[in-house]
Amino acid sequence: MASEKTINDLFLDTFKDIYFAEKQILKALPKMARATQSEDAKAGFLQHRDETQGQIKRLEQVFEQLGKSARGKTCEAIQGIIAEGEEIMEDYKGTTALDAGLISSAQAVEHYEIARYGTLKAWATQLGLKDAIPLLDANLQEEIATDQKLTALGQSSANAKAPTKKAS
Ligand code: FE
Ligand code: FE
Ligand code: FE
């Protein structure tokens, strides 16, 4: 008989998923900062790298609250999203479209995080994990703010610089 699984299990598995993802993102952001040709994007990627370090600390606080050791669970989704970003870095290196591509990759990362933190916050609320909620929400708000900055960055610089082909 399959053992009974609950929202508690879902919460913990998903929590380990985002912990793994954040650690991968921490390694990816400096690479993106090195790859971009835009000073604004570089500063943004590095700032979010520092924020990500703080986010990981918050997640470790939640592990402590749960009485669990901080251990991630492989997230194939973030590995795929980061791999796509690396493909852009290679395929668009030295081109005027590179920064638009990097910003779009970074937004895919933020949207994954927003989905995860939105769900985790809802489940924490449902499970009465009162101390975890503000920590999850702090991470969620940073991801939302980062996503908005990326949208502005894409509109103001990268997209404007990238030459477009006229539709035929
Ligand atoms: Fe994050
Ligand atoms: Fe995942
Ligand atoms: Fe993020």
Side-chain angles (χ1 to χ4, degrees):
M1 196 180 93
S3 67
E4 189 75 13
K5 290 259 194 187
T6 65
I7 298 285
N8 290 271
D9 299 305
L10 261 180
F11 178 85
L12 192 61
D13 279 344
T14 307
F15 189 79
K16 288 178 174 175
D17 175 278
I18 195 69
Y19 184 65
F20 176 93
E22 289 288 12
K23 290 191 145 186
Q24 300 301 304
I25 294 163
L26 187 67
K27 287 192 272 182
L29 281 165
K31 291 184 198 166
M32 296 177 77
R34 274 197 298 277
T36 182
Q37 297 154 343
S38 148
E39 284 307 311
D40 288 346
K42 184 192 281 289
F45 290 145
L46 291 177
Q47 189 201 328
H48 198 48
R49 186 209 158 272
D50 292 345
E51 281 174 346
T52 300
Q53 220 157 24
Q55 293 175 351
I56 290 170
K57 291 223 174 77
R58 289 192 195 107
L59 297 180
E60 287 168 351
Q61 272 178 265
V62 176
F63 274 118
E64 229 175 276
Q65 291 171 2
L66 298 169
K68 306 266 181 199
S69 53
R71 268 185 73 181
K73 182 173 183 284
T74 304
C75 172
E76 288 180 20
I78 205 69
Q79 289 178 329
I81 291 170
I82 290 172
E84 279 190 358
E86 284 168 354
E87 207 178 309
I88 298 249
M89 284 183 216
E90 278 176 37
D91 294 355
Y92 288 85
K93 193 173 184 175
T95 74
T96 48
L98 174 69
D99 289 331
L102 285 173
I103 289 167
S104 79
S105 299
Q107 276 191 298
V109 170
E110 296 314 311
H111 285 207
Y112 182 74
E113 294 181 289
I114 290 167
R116 282 298 181 233
Y117 284 122
T119 297
L120 284 165
K121 192 184 155 190
W123 285 340
T125 306
Q126 199 177 330
L127 294 168
L129 301 171
K130 282 202 176 66
D131 298 335
I133 297 166
L135 294 166
L136 292 168
D137 188 56
N139 285 10
L140 175 62
Q141 296 312 319
E142 282 179 355
E143 313 302 13
I144 292 171
T146 301
D147 180 47
Q148 287 168 351
K149 275 187 226 163
L150 286 165
T151 296
L153 209 55
Q155 284 167 348
S156 70
S157 65
N159 290 347
K161 261 185 267 166
T164 51
K165 275 192 199 139
K166 268 188 210 145
S168 47

